[in-house]
């Protein structure tokens, strides 16, 4: 009975001449033919039409063209005691014994492990293991037909022997021409080469979103190709005093260091040098030194074996919104001068603590790192025009740069220890208890009210406040009067020059509205 019903039902559904009941509303049956229903299903009112998308081309032709110029760099060297190597990647795969205090629970363990069961824990020179030989591998690439190769400084640092392994398996011994620790770049040379395939640097800067192809020697495997895009520009990874890295998402791993990142023209846009990873493996965030920097540094290393940089002689810091508001500067940009050596190029040019350098030779300066890169990219003896925000007005000064290697960093005077004095009344507007800094300049922070503006901005007990609005203060009363003067001028933030230990910093301190 059930089978007969299902069979009849199928025949009923398949009969195109029959009408199909598609809905009932308000007691009225809505009927449509099967052909009408089919048309309604095929062409809904809001159908999305996707345009034809062409398939992206591969990178095979690019890789085939540039791969002969990419090499593996094999380094032999000696490492002092205190480090045990594992595997074939030397400095990349190593265990560093930490410098622990004598009372640390793991002190004896690490001492014994480092001495392979010897007389650990004594801390004497006689307990240190003898230097160990190691083998490390990295990547590099040829930049000339006569045998110059670029790699990372950390790949060849401390090497006693450097071997270049070519794509076809040939091996040639190389010599180190020059290294630059600040940018982590190095140049090595294989003598006797005349017709070596080489690549050139890109003249156009890579843009965020551009394709990049990385070729290198990850984990000692050699000849590995990965692809991705430029994820960001101008990254400061706190691993280099020079900064300005490209961030790429092409897979880069241990052993890729020193290898090239190419654009689709086969030009080098960067040198892979670091990865961000919680476990040492690729997580899609790698950093490359931009081609413009690599070209400049490697040219200097080939010419003279070293890099000579310009020097201004100032300690600088970034300008945040609070600092900009406190000095009337539109926008948080530029580099604030925290300290100046009087006999430095900056001091001779008239720069003073509290000035903000906003441009060099007309080129805007974004932050402290930008100023560092700009000045160090110029040769000593170069005259530069500095645009400076001084006393709430823009001015221009000229400075002749010195040589960085001969420079003495600007250091502030160390204030004398303060006398033990009772706390002054706490200024309710900012939350600081101040006492005179006996024997030194400024006023000492003796207490910071919890949840106050000062606490929010990071002031701490023991800080010394030297100036408010570029004016010296020597008492709590002078401090309060200086804050009132800033408030009366209509500015919502006061510029504070403070010292913590040997470091001088400027901070913008917002002022509470009058109650």
């Amino acid at each position: 009975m059930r089978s007969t019903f299902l069979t009849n039902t199928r025949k009923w559904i398949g009969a195109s001449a029959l009408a199909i009941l598609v809905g009932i509303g308000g007691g009225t049956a809505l009927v449509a033919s099967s052909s009408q229903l089919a048309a309604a299903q095929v062409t809904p009112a809001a159908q999305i039409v996707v345009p034809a998308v062409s398939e992206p081309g591969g990178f095979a032709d690019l890789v085939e063209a540039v791969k002969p110029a990419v090499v593996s760099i094999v380094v032999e060297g000696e490492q002092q005691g205190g480090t045990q190597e594992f595997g074939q990647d030397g400095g990349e795969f190593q265990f560093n014994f930490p410098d622990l205090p004598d009372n640390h629970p793991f002190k004896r363990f690490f001492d014994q492990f480092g001495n392979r069961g010897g007389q650990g824990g004594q801390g004497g020179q006689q307990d240190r293991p003898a230097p160990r030989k190691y083998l490390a591998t990295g990547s590099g690439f040829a930049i000339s037909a006569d045998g110059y190769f670029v790699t990372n400084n950390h790949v060849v640092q401390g090497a006693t022997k450097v071997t270049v392994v070519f794509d076809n398996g040939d091996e040639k011994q190389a010599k180190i021409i020059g290294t630059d620790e600040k940018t982590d770049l190095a140049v090595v040379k294989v003598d006797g080469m005349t017709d070596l395939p080489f690549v050139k640097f890109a003249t156009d800067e890579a843009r965020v979103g551009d394709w990049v192809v990385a070729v290198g020697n990850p984990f000692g495997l050699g000849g590995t190709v990965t692809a991705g895009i430029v994820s960001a520009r101008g990254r400061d990874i706190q691993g280099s005093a020079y900064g300005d890295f490209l961030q790429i998402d092409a897979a880069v791993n241990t052993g890729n260091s020193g290898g090239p990142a190419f654009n689709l023209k086969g030009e080098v846009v960067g040198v892979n040098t670091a990865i961000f990873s919680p476990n040492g493996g690729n997580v899609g965030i790698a950093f490359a030194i931009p081609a413009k920097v690599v070209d400049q540094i490697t040219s200097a290393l080939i010419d003279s074996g070293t890099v000579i940089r310009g020097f201004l002689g100032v300690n600088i810091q970034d300008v945040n919104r609070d600092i900009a508001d406190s000095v009337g500067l539109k926008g948080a940009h530029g580099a604030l001068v925290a300290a100046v050596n009087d006999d430095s190029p900056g001091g001779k040019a008239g720069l003073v603590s509290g000035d903000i350098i906003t441009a060099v030779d007309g080129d805007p300066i974004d932050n402290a790192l930008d100023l560092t890169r700009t000045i160090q990219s110029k040769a000593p003896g170069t005259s530069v025009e500095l645009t400076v925000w001084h006393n709430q007005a823009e001015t221009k000064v000229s400075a002749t740069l010195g040589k960085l290697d001969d420079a003495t960093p600007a250091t502030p005077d160390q204030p004398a220890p303060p006398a033990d004095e009772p706390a002054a009344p706490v200024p309710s507007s900012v939350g600081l208890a101040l006492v005179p800094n006996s024997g030194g300049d400024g006023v000492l922070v003796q207490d910071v009210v919890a949840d106050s503006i000062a606490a929010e901005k990071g002031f701490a007990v023991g800080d010394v406040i030297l100036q408010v609005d570029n004016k010296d203060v020597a008492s709590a009363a002078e401090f309060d009067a200086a804050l009132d003067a800033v408030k009366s001028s209509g500015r919502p933030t006061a510029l504070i020059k403070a010292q913590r230990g040997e470091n001088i910093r400027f901070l913008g301190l917002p002022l509470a509205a009058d109650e």
Side-chain angles (χ1 to χ4, degrees):
M1 185 71 175
R2 174 181 175 85
S3 175
T4 302
F5 172 77
L6 292 175
T7 302
N8 292 334
T9 301
R10 293 190 187 98
K11 292 179 179 179
W12 180 82
I13 292 174
S16 60
L18 295 179
I20 301 174
L21 184 67
V22 297
I24 300 176
T28 302
L30 303 178
V31 180
S33 69
S34 59
S35 61
Q36 290 173 329
L37 179 60
Q41 292 173 334
V42 171
T43 57
Q47 178 174 341
I48 297 174
V49 178
V50 180
V53 179
S54 59
E55 295 184 6
F59 304 107
D61 292 340
L62 166 64
V63 173
E64 185 177 357
V66 302
K67 200 174 180 183
V70 183
V71 299
S72 297
I73 306 291
V74 180
V75 174
E76 298 177 31
E78 287 188 350
Q79 197 160 39
Q80 295 301 315
T83 301
Q84 172 68 44
E85 289 77 33
F86 296 93
Q88 294 293 312
D89 214 10
E92 302 286 359
F93 286 109
Q94 61 181 352
F95 185 84
N96 293 305
F97 299 114
D99 185 14
L100 300 175
D102 292 335
N103 61 351
H104 195 281
F106 291 124
K107 175 70 172 177
R108 178 178 295 181
F109 168 79
F110 282 114
D111 285 344
Q112 290 177 344
F113 188 71
N115 284 282
R116 295 182 175 270
Q119 300 292 324
Q122 302 301 314
Q125 183 66 32
Q126 67 273 15
D127 295 327
R128 294 184 179 275
R132 301 176 184 277
K133 292 184 177 181
Y134 69 85
L135 184 69
T137 59
S139 304
F141 58 97
I143 58 171
S144 70
D146 57 348
Y148 284 100
F149 295 85
V150 175
T151 187
N152 278 143
N153 171 66
H154 77 259
V155 171
V156 299
Q157 191 172 28
T160 57
K161 181 180 178 181
V162 177
T163 303
V164 173
V165 182
F166 293 87
D167 184 53
N168 61 5
D170 291 346
E171 298 183 4
K172 299 286 185 180
Q173 189 166 343
K175 60 182 178 181
I176 299 175
I177 299 300
T179 62
D180 182 54
E181 187 174 358
K182 286 185 179 294
T183 55
D184 195 21
L185 289 170
V187 174
V188 301
K189 188 177 189 302
V190 175
D191 290 332
M193 309 296 292
T194 57
D195 57 353
L196 180 70
F198 66 94
V199 291
K200 66 178 183 177
F201 296 109
T203 55
D204 296 330
E205 293 186 347
R207 301 175 303 164
V208 174
D210 280 350
W211 281 106
V212 287
V213 176
V215 185
N217 182 30
F219 303 114
L221 297 173
T224 299
V225 180
T226 56
I229 63 170
V230 177
S231 304
R233 292 180 46 85
R235 291 298 199 205
D236 175 16
I237 62 173
Q238 304 298 322
S240 166
Y242 206 70
D244 193 24
F245 289 88
L246 297 177
Q247 179 183 324
I248 64 176
D249 71 349
V252 171
N253 289 286
T254 297
N256 273 109
S257 292
F262 294 101
N263 60 19
L264 297 186
K265 298 177 182 178
E267 301 168 330
V268 177
V269 296
V271 173
N272 303 317
T273 191
I275 60 175
F276 179 85
S277 173
N279 55 19
N282 170 65
V283 293
I285 299 179
F287 301 96
I289 308 167
K292 181 179 179 180
V293 175
V294 182
D295 192 11
Q296 175 189 350
I297 298 300
T298 55
S299 295
L301 292 176
I302 292 173
D303 290 342
S304 63
T306 187
V307 179
I308 301 176
R309 293 181 166 89
F311 167 72
L312 191 57
V314 295
N315 285 353
I316 53 178
Q317 68 177 77
D318 290 340
V319 177
N320 58 26
R321 169 55 61 184
D322 287 337
I323 291 176
D325 289 344
S326 69
V327 297
L329 180 66
K330 292 183 178 180
H333 64 280
L336 189 148
V337 177
V340 186
N341 274 338
D342 292 338
D343 59 350
S344 69
K348 293 176 182 178
L351 293 177
V352 297
S353 180
D355 285 346
I356 298 177
I357 300 173
T358 59
V360 176
D361 291 333
D363 296 326
I365 296 297
D366 293 328
N367 50 39
L369 182 60
D370 191 14
L371 179 63
T372 298
R373 290 197 301 258
T374 300
I375 294 298
Q376 293 186 5
S377 67
K378 300 180 182 295
T382 303
S383 179
V384 294
E385 181 185 69
L386 306 176
T387 303
V388 180
W389 188 257
H390 175 80
N391 286 342
Q392 302 183 51
E394 185 176 278
T395 185
K396 297 182 185 296
V397 299
S398 295
T400 301
L401 302 181
K403 182 180 176 182
L404 179 62
D405 294 342
D406 298 335
T408 302
T411 55
D413 295 331
Q414 183 70 17
D420 186 12
E421 299 185 19
V426 176
S428 59
S429 60
V430 293
L432 291 174
L434 305 172
V435 296
N437 186 23
S438 178
D441 297 329
V443 288
L444 177 73
V445 176
Q446 194 173 71
D447 191 21
V448 182
V449 176
D451 299 326
S452 65
I453 298 173
E456 180 184 343
K457 294 302 178 182
F459 284 90
V461 173
D463 288 347
V464 176
I465 296 177
L466 302 172
Q467 293 181 347
V468 177
D469 198 26
N470 292 319
K471 298 178 179 62
D472 295 339
V473 292
S475 67
E478 290 183 3
F479 177 82
D480 289 339
L483 294 186
D484 290 340
V486 172
K487 190 180 297 185
S488 298
S489 71
R491 283 173 285 152
T493 309
L495 182 66
I496 307 295
K497 181 180 181 180
Q499 183 167 348
R500 179 176 296 174
E502 296 183 356
N503 297 319
I504 284 183
R505 298 286 288 177
F506 281 83
L507 301 97
L509 184 63
L511 304 178
D514 293 330
E515 298 179 357

